[in-house]
Amino acid sequence: MSIVVTGATGHLGRHVVEQLLERVPADQITAVVRDEAKAAGLAARGVKLAVADYNAPETFDGLFAAGDKVLLISGNEFDKGRVGQHTVVIEAAKAAGVALLAYTSAPGTLTAALADDHRATEQVLLASGLPYSLLRNGWYHENYTENLAPVLEHGAVVAAAGDGRLSSAARADYAAAAVAVLTGEGHENTTYELGGDEAWSFAEYAAELSRQTGREIAYNPVSVEVLTGILTGAGVPAPVAGILAGVDASIEKGELVVSSGDLSRLIGRPTTPLAEAVTTALKG
């Protein structure tokens, strides 16, 4: 039996594998990667590697074994048909008879276009009959804290979210939840609504940045159309810019406030505060 992590060299996948290494022997972990060279460090630590690509279904043939627990980390190629990509993994897992397939989805309250692929993937997974766990991840602190350069340059946080609030958490928090599900018992056929303990607004985020930098950082609320234009002007492909701006519209409606408490319960500790993520990013 192996714990298999797809997208293992991605932002979330790396956290998951690192935390798994603290809990289980390395030879019980299989990292699914597209580029073996990127995973050389994991292989050196004894993690098994499997080279496969969501866009090449045959690469998943025989990859899973009966009894495996699988974490399907959602793809980020919005233009490649993510539902079809995810279905490749689900079908291969079903054929192998895996013990559990956990999928990183989006909050059930999210109606933005970003959620469409997640809802459709959930339907494929439920229809497969596999034992499943839906990890409905909320927004990540790093979606903001990893892009501080333009904020600091212009002295402004720009978003199309009005006074909306969101319950973000750190990638490491969501990874810890996945690890808890993959290494624990009793998580078959479960749905977890995952988000940070504290909801915040962009005005509060700007105030926190001001406090930590000693500079005046303003919050400039803009329309979805204006934000879409800003993002495309910065080189973001138009379809992706539209999806990201659509998330802001959902934030304004409160759709990314997750109040279930599932995340802190699963990981057995409070979630990482936004202020801590800001501190980490500013040090970097």
Side-chain angles (χ1 to χ4, degrees):
M1 192 277 287
S2 195
I3 294 174
V4 186
V5 180
T6 73
T9 54
H11 288 308
L12 181 63
R14 282 194 177 278
H15 279 288
V16 172
V17 175
E18 285 293 336
Q19 293 186 38
L20 280 171
L21 284 165
E22 297 170 8
R23 302 277 288 271
V24 298
D27 62 3
Q28 290 182 18
I29 305 167
T30 299
V32 182
V33 299
R34 282 192 293 194
D35 183 350
E36 197 167 358
K38 285 186 179 177
L42 296 177
R45 294 165 70 182
V47 174
K48 297 176 185 172
L49 299 186
V51 179
D53 189 321
Y54 293 155
N55 300 306
E58 69 279 0
T59 60
F60 280 91
D61 290 346
L63 194 154
F64 304 118
D68 283 353
K69 290 184 177 181
V70 179
L71 176 64
L72 169 54
I73 294 180
S74 56
N76 58 5
E77 296 176 311
F78 296 99
D79 58 338
K80 295 276 182 74
R82 294 198 299 168
V83 180
Q85 292 179 330
H86 300 157
T87 299
V88 165
V89 180
I90 292 166
E91 290 179 347
K94 182 179 180 180
V98 305
L100 180 73
L101 191 144
Y103 170 66
T104 61
S105 191
T109 49
L110 186 64
T111 63
L114 178 74
D116 293 348
D117 288 350
H118 291 301
R119 296 290 93 84
T121 299
E122 288 184 4
Q123 291 304 313
V124 172
L125 179 51
L126 294 178
S128 74
L130 279 169
Y132 67 87
S133 184
L134 302 179
L135 304 175
R136 288 179 168 171
N137 289 356
W139 222 221
Y140 296 67
H141 291 333
E142 289 88 349
N143 290 344
Y144 304 106
T145 60
E146 286 186 350
N147 298 292
L148 283 180
V151 173
L152 298 177
E153 181 185 342
H154 299 291
V157 172
V158 178
D163 296 325
R165 305 178 75 78
L166 66 154
S167 319
S168 63
R171 278 200 196 101
D173 295 338
Y174 294 110
V179 169
V181 166
L182 293 167
T183 60
E185 299 297 330
H187 296 289
E188 293 80 10
N189 306 327
T190 52
T191 300
Y192 296 109
E193 298 286 349
L194 304 175
D197 296 335
E198 300 289 337
W200 53 272
S201 69
F202 284 96
E204 291 167 345
Y205 175 51
E208 183 60 34
L209 286 170
S210 299
R211 187 182 71 80
Q212 292 202 31
T213 61
R215 297 166 51 192
E216 186 59 42
I217 308 288
Y219 169 42
N220 290 345
V222 297
S223 67
V224 168
E225 292 74 23
V226 168
L227 181 61
T228 303
I230 291 170
L231 292 171
T232 53
V236 177
V240 178
I243 287 171
L244 294 175
V247 171
D248 272 21
S250 285
I251 290 171
E252 184 167 24
K253 292 186 280 188
E255 294 179 3
L256 276 176
V257 173
V258 180
S259 55
S260 65
D262 284 352
L263 182 52
S264 54
R265 268 196 300 277
L266 269 178
I267 66 181
R269 59 169 172 79
T271 60
T272 306
L274 177 65
E276 189 176 314
V278 168
T279 302
T280 302
L282 291 172
K283 282 178 182 169

